[in-house]
Amino acid sequence: MKSNGKTGVQDAQVAVVMVPLPAQGHLNQLLHLSRLISLYNIPVHYVGATTHIRQAKFRVHGFDPLTDKKLHFHEFPTPLFENPPPNPNASHKFPNQLIPSFYATTHL
């Protein structure tokens, strides 16, 4: 138990890897959860596409993710892919505009 009342992990016995699913809008939520976990002296590795990590860092409120020494970002590039706009008149509600990005990430 630390003097501030929080329990910490000694010698990095535990590490957490966060891999958000950007199609569901989990970028910021998992970044905030990553910060909360890192406050317990647990290293957190936030993994994602370069564009998604840039979005998460830009949109975060309440803290600067670059100053947290236990929060590590790992970016991977995605190949170019078609990025069609959403079709509001589609007969089914699945977001078909996301399918090309799913295919692009499967080729990494």
Side-chain angles (χ1 to χ4, degrees):
M1 184 77 76
K2 292 182 176 184
S3 61
N4 64 2
K6 293 183 179 179
T7 304
V9 177
Q10 298 295 325
D11 300 323
Q13 297 169 350
V14 174
V16 174
V17 177
M18 292 287 187
V19 184
L21 180 61
Q24 298 296 320
H26 295 136
L27 297 173
N28 290 336
Q29 292 88 340
L30 282 182
L31 187 54
H32 280 280
L33 179 59
S34 297
R35 178 172 185 252
L36 181 64
I37 292 169
S38 73
L39 291 175
Y40 288 90
N41 203 28
I42 299 172
V44 179
H45 300 271
Y46 192 92
V47 181
T50 303
T51 55
H52 296 136
I53 288 181
R54 187 178 322 124
Q55 287 174 5
K57 287 179 182 177
F58 180 72
R59 295 177 184 168
V60 70
H61 296 284
F63 74 100
D64 182 359
L66 301 178
T67 61
D68 189 337
K69 301 296 181 204
K70 292 288 182 181
L71 183 55
H72 310 280
F73 293 95
H74 302 276
E75 302 176 5
F76 59 86
T78 52
L80 293 176
F81 58 89
E82 179 185 356
N83 191 11
N87 180 1
N89 300 319
S91 59
H92 48 81
K93 298 302 177 192
F94 185 80
N96 285 332
Q97 75 275 8
L98 299 177
I99 291 176
S101 67
F102 296 150
Y103 287 139
T105 57
T106 61
H107 291 29
L108 294 176

